[in-house]
Amino acid sequence: MTARGTAGQPASQEEALFGTDPAELEVTLATGYTVRTHTDGCLAQAHRHLYGDQARWFRAEVAVNNLRPEAQARLKDDPRYRAALARRAACPEKDTRCARESGLDDVRARLQPARLAEVRAAHREDIATYDQLRDRALHRAARLLAGRPTSSQKGPS
């Protein structure tokens, strides 16, 4: 933060790393949750340096990291899942036989791969952006590290 010209000490190490309120970037997921991040702080600076576009990286990363929860949320749209869920909810708390016989685990196992495929297809652009920016960051980090001696190459401490 000092290198960026921030005057004085940050209020905390957490603010120096993650930034100060309010969070400037925001993504609302299909599940209804909202994810926010800061554009100041060391982490944001590192994201800009490695990925080139912090906002673009943030949107893609949040989407890709939430594919499975979105697919799980879509299960609720299927009447077979809702019926199995209702059967499971009617089971006494510690009745594992009833829980197993509700068929919820089997229905979930059958339906979840298709829902995940649907979600991946819907987020095809986000996945491509994520892969592209991640690859860029990996190459950039490798170039940065290639220019610095490793701890084994440094002299005795």
Side-chain angles (χ1 to χ4, degrees):
M1 299 267 294
T2 304
R4 292 178 33 222
T6 302
Q9 289 287 91
S12 70
Q13 287 181 347
E14 186 174 318
E15 285 181 348
L17 180 59
F18 297 112
T20 55
D21 285 331
E24 298 86 359
L25 299 177
E26 177 178 296
V27 173
T28 300
L29 303 167
T31 57
Y33 291 100
T34 299
V35 180
R36 294 176 181 88
T37 196
H38 299 280
T39 57
D40 62 340
C42 296
L43 185 59
Q45 182 179 13
H47 283 167
R48 280 190 300 278
H49 186 73
L50 288 173
Y51 301 105
D53 183 335
Q54 182 196 7
R56 191 169 171 227
W57 168 250
F58 174 70
R59 286 189 303 273
E61 181 187 35
V62 169
V64 168
N65 287 342
N66 286 281
L67 295 173
R68 189 165 303 280
E70 184 175 337
Q72 290 169 344
R74 287 185 181 203
L75 287 175
K76 295 173 188 165
D77 296 336
D78 192 291
R80 295 167 292 182
Y81 179 80
R82 287 195 311 269
L85 191 61
R87 288 191 302 272
R88 172 61 182 96
C91 292
E93 188 176 327
K94 296 188 184 222
D95 190 343
T96 56
R97 179 174 175 232
C98 179
R100 187 176 50 256
E101 289 175 356
S102 73
L104 180 60
D105 291 338
D106 294 334
V107 169
R108 184 183 290 128
R110 280 195 322 272
L111 297 177
Q112 204 161 25
R115 296 305 171 267
L116 189 54
E118 290 170 5
V119 169
R120 286 182 189 278
H123 289 280
R124 189 174 312 123
E125 284 184 37
D126 292 322
I127 294 168
T129 298
Y130 176 88
D131 289 343
Q132 175 192 30
L133 293 176
R134 185 193 57 206
D135 288 348
R136 177 196 190 278
L138 288 171
H139 290 290
R140 183 165 189 101
R143 285 192 308 272
L144 289 170
L145 291 173
R148 294 192 175 152
T150 63
S151 59
S152 62
Q153 292 172 323
K154 293 178 183 175
S157 298

